[in-house]
Amino acid sequence: MTTLLLPLLTLLPTFSPPSLATPLSLLLLHLSWTALVLSYPPLGLEILLSALARLLFYLVPALALLALNLYGLVPFPQLRRRPGRPRKNSGVWTEVGGRWRVLGVVVLNLAAEMLVQAALEWLGTEGVRWRSWVRVGKTFPGPWEVGRDLLLGAAGREILQYLIHRHLLHPYHATSLSRLHHTWSHSLPPTPLTPHYDHPAPYLLARFLPTYAPFLLLRPHLLTYLLFLALVSLLEAVSLSGLQGLPCGLDAVSRRCEAHWLGGGRRGFADLGVADWVAGTGPRPRSAEVGKGRSNGAL
């Protein structure tokens, strides 16, 4: 009961004098967090909040964008096909029940991600009896610690995502793993669900590992990891949404991700584009025409 009531108390500063609002908010937030830490085991709290972050910052926005697309308010980018060469398995999105199957695969992949994360945490604490990979404490991390871990986590994710995507999922010579990735993920048109629609093997390598692995070395506070996971989830939700004019550089990220899918996965292997810029595998100048491939209506 305490864990349910304390978060509601954070609304009290709204009705307090301005001079007391900020200190009271911090105090109630600290009490709420302390109650959560004392009420749940560290592993359970980590997995519960990680799943909640994925739900609120990826799945809900992605489904909202899909709903807007049904009304023609958000046109998704269209795959350009050569005459006489229909895209393999492209009907999985347009056939009857296809979108429900895609959503089911996405939910199962997110659940598999949580299971692997729980297994790694159990291995670190119970298996080798060393330590948890994410710190769960009653104190909050400092601003410098949060900024440092977010920056290092983003750099590690960018490098790992590029290496895995470029050399394992899009190698010069096709492998069983790359064929699975092409058959599953690249069979869909660009939509908000496309980043998480894949066979579980390439999915865990391309999505879960780059996001989680950097923090195995950093061992950040759980709140820092949740903030990072929320930012990554939101980025994945809008990267193939078809939205234009996004702030904070998201529009450039969206166009790079669209270019990767519209170009058959030949260039643009990391979301932020820094690793592609260093390696010279970013979208070519002529790929700016990708924006012309955006549909004027719903799929």
Side-chain angles (χ1 to χ4, degrees), residues 17 32 52 90 123 166:
S32 300
L52 189 62
S90 59
L123 182 64
R166 174 68 186 87

Side-chain angles (χ1 to χ4, degrees), residues 17-33:
S19 59
L20 297 177
T22 300
L24 186 57
S25 296
L26 293 176
L27 176 61
L28 293 177
L29 184 61
H30 186 270
L31 290 175
S32 300
W33 175 250

Side-chain angles (χ1 to χ4, degrees), residues 46-113:
E46 177 186 341
I47 300 305
L48 176 64
L49 295 181
S50 297
L52 189 62
R54 278 301 200 186
L55 175 66
L56 295 180
F57 293 95
Y58 174 72
L59 200 55
V60 170
L63 293 178
L65 289 168
L66 285 175
L68 292 176
N69 174 257
L70 293 177
Y71 292 98
L73 299 178
V74 179
F76 295 156
Q78 290 283 7
L79 286 171
R80 294 173 293 178
R81 302 180 179 86
R82 297 179 182 178
R85 295 184 64 182
R87 189 172 180 85
K88 183 179 180 181
N89 293 335
S90 59
V92 69
W93 180 253
T94 57
E95 66 188 13
V96 177
R99 299 188 183 191
W100 287 108
R101 292 210 305 272
V102 170
L103 178 59
V105 170
V106 169
V107 172
L108 289 176
N109 278 338
L110 291 173
E113 182 180 283

